Amino acid sequence: MTPRESFLRTHLLLQLLLPLTLSVLHPPHHPPVHLPTLVPHTPTPLTRSRFSAQTQLDFTTHCNSSCFHREQEEQLSEKLAFETLYSDGSRTLTTVDLEGDDDFEGDALDLRHPPSRRVVGVKPRHKRVRRQIYGADGRFNIHGDNFLLDYPFSTAVRISTGCTGVLVSQQHVLTAAHCVHDGKDYVNGARKLRVGFLIPPSINGTKNGLTSAKKPVVRWVRVKRTRVPKGWIQGPQEISMDFDYALLELRWPHQRPFMRLSVAPSSDDLAGNRIHFSGFDSDRPGELVYRFCPVEEESSDLIYQHCDARPGASGSGVYGRVWDNSLERWERKVIGIFSGHQWLEIDGENRDYNVAVRITPLKFAQICYWVHGNRLDCVQD
């Protein structure tokens, strides 16, 4: 066992013990999260997609003080409308109404009343050696059946356009919208979109003595339906980044465990103040790469952090240990989607972050409807 593998095993063990310790010392007591209800209208047929866009794996945006502190002025029902792309190239637009959203009163997770965005306690950092890598590379390659087929690593899947996704149901994968759509049109690779499941060498029939030298193979499954929020489509990049998520419905159900979604809590309510995600970084072809890091700053729509990542990790499910009131224990849940990189220019100083789109109550309600097709099933449990 290499030193890095030993460290990873120790880290995972600590991740199991930390929530138990925290629940004893500081058991959280949070009221249930209020969720609005998404009421969809009858879908309207649209012209067939031209699939003219090119996939942009290295997604970078720039934001100054005006966008950093902006208010969401457009009607949310317009942004939460969504397009559905079918495997035959046809597409529809579904507009929605929101019920129960009047009960929000400036909640930090409410899209309509975001808090003043701020960056506090951030020290100027040295110039990065490589894009999206901060200092020493803190990523770990996941090897062997014991890790690749174990939860939560088994929930990470490849997207045929070059991105990553996370299993959130027996037939659905959550990923980044820019992996399938550039804001104006669907990318060429979305025409025959597929999701890839890693198959370890030993299961693939490789002899035991050769498994260490072999990489996993990928079993591909076609996508039946793709859904993208209207907030991503035809919006300025710095605004659309808030809606950089898409849901893929597989043609057939899979048999692997999936990770449940949760409204993203404040970072103070995450076990260890840490987020985690595993993805298929482009500089490590054929490898599943895991990383973790603390949350540096957060807004109503984005999670700012310095987790090391490279293109290809876009669309990874960002998860944390979230307290589950019904189970009375800490549970790993998807609270965001890794989007890319953002430069912030605040008070004349440039700061750079890797950014994840946080799952807010409204986004949770939308994604949940996409998964279940029934708004009555969409409750925060």
Side-chain angles (χ1 to χ4, degrees), residues 17-28 270-273 323 330:
L17 296 177
L18 177 61
L20 297 176
T21 304
L22 289 176
S23 62
V24 173
L25 297 178
H26 305 287
L270 289 174
N273 189 37
W323 182 258
W330 296 86

Side-chain angles (χ1 to χ4, degrees), residues 195-262:
V195 168
F197 293 77
L198 282 189
I199 308 297
S202 61
I203 294 180
N204 192 44
T206 305
K207 294 181 180 180
N208 291 335
L210 300 177
T211 55
S212 60
K214 296 290 185 178
K215 291 185 177 181
V217 298
V218 181
R219 177 175 63 86
W220 294 99
V221 177
R222 288 288 301 272
V223 171
K224 174 182 176 182
R225 184 162 49 187
T226 301
R227 282 175 164 154
V228 181
K230 193 68 174 174
W232 168 257
I233 298 172
Q234 295 179 336
Q237 276 194 335
E238 67 273 8
I239 296 177
S240 295
M241 198 177 202
D242 297 348
F243 295 88
D244 187 14
Y245 57 94
L247 190 78
L248 316 180
E249 182 178 345
L250 302 177
R251 181 167 291 183
W252 309 107
H254 62 85
Q255 301 300 318
R256 297 197 177 183
F258 58 86
M259 193 176 297
R260 294 161 62 200
L261 296 170
S262 173

Side-chain angles (χ1 to χ4, degrees), residues 142-306:
I142 303 302
H143 295 293
D145 298 2
N146 291 339
F147 282 147
L148 285 175
L149 293 181
D150 281 353
Y151 185 87
F153 304 120
S154 59
T155 65
V157 291
R158 288 179 60 180
I159 309 299
S160 57
T161 55
C163 290
T164 301
V166 60
L167 301 172
V168 293
S169 86
Q170 290 184 334
Q171 205 166 345
H172 294 88
V173 174
L174 190 63
T175 188
H178 76 262
C179 296
V180 297
H181 195 292
D182 74 345
K184 296 182 180 179
D185 194 12
Y186 291 91
V187 301
N188 183 262
R191 188 188 300 269
K192 295 182 178 180
L193 195 61
R194 298 177 299 163
V195 168
F197 293 77
L198 282 189
I199 308 297
S202 61
I203 294 180
N204 192 44
T206 305
K207 294 181 180 180
N208 291 335
L210 300 177
T211 55
S212 60
K214 296 290 185 178
K215 291 185 177 181
V217 298
V218 181
R219 177 175 63 86
W220 294 99
V221 177
R222 288 288 301 272
V223 171
K224 174 182 176 182
R225 184 162 49 187
T226 301
R227 282 175 164 154
V228 181
K230 193 68 174 174
W232 168 257
I233 298 172
Q234 295 179 336
Q237 276 194 335
E238 67 273 8
I239 296 177
S240 295
M241 198 177 202
D242 297 348
F243 295 88
D244 187 14
Y245 57 94
L247 190 78
L248 316 180
E249 182 178 345
L250 302 177
R251 181 167 291 183
W252 309 107
H254 62 85
Q255 301 300 318
R256 297 197 177 183
F258 58 86
M259 193 176 297
R260 294 161 62 200
L261 296 170
S262 173
V263 172
S266 164
S267 61
D268 293 336
D269 295 327
L270 289 174
N273 189 37
R274 287 177 177 172
I275 58 171
H276 314 248
F277 59 97
S278 300
F280 297 93
D281 300 51
S282 58
D283 63 333
R284 300 188 184 184
E287 301 282 0
L288 178 63
V289 184
Y290 164 73
R291 76 232 68 198
F292 64 94
C293 68
V295 175
E296 298 282 347
E297 188 52 59
E298 54 192 336
S299 72
S300 59
D301 289 290
L302 301 176
I303 300 171
Y304 294 89
Q305 32 79 21
H306 288 136

Side-chain angles (χ1 to χ4, degrees), residues 44-49 83-86 89-93 186:
T44 302
L46 300 173
T47 59
R48 297 174 70 89
S49 172
E83 278 194 13
T84 302
L85 173 70
Y86 299 89
S90 62
R91 60 193 180 112
T92 59
L93 172 66
Y186 291 91

Side-chain angles (χ1 to χ4, degrees), residues 30-36 71-72 76 80 98 100-101 103-118 242-243 245 261-270 295 297-304 322-323 334-336 356-366 380:
H30 302 300
V33 176
H34 169 73
L35 290 175
E71 295 281 339
Q72 296 276 5
L76 279 173
L80 292 174
L98 297 174
D101 62 323
D103 294 335
F104 287 99
E105 295 182 0
D107 190 305
L109 300 180
D110 182 5
L111 288 173
R112 296 178 307 147
H113 305 291
S116 176
R117 299 188 179 196
R118 68 203 189 285
D242 297 348
F243 295 88
Y245 57 94
L261 296 170
S262 173
V263 172
S266 164
S267 61
D268 293 336
D269 295 327
L270 289 174
V295 175
E297 188 52 59
E298 54 192 336
S299 72
S300 59
D301 289 290
L302 301 176
I303 300 171
Y304 294 89
V322 179
W323 182 258
V334 177
I335 61 171
V357 179
R358 77 184 299 148
I359 296 178
T360 64
L362 290 168
K363 293 172 187 174
F364 180 95
Q366 182 188 53
Q380 176 74 358

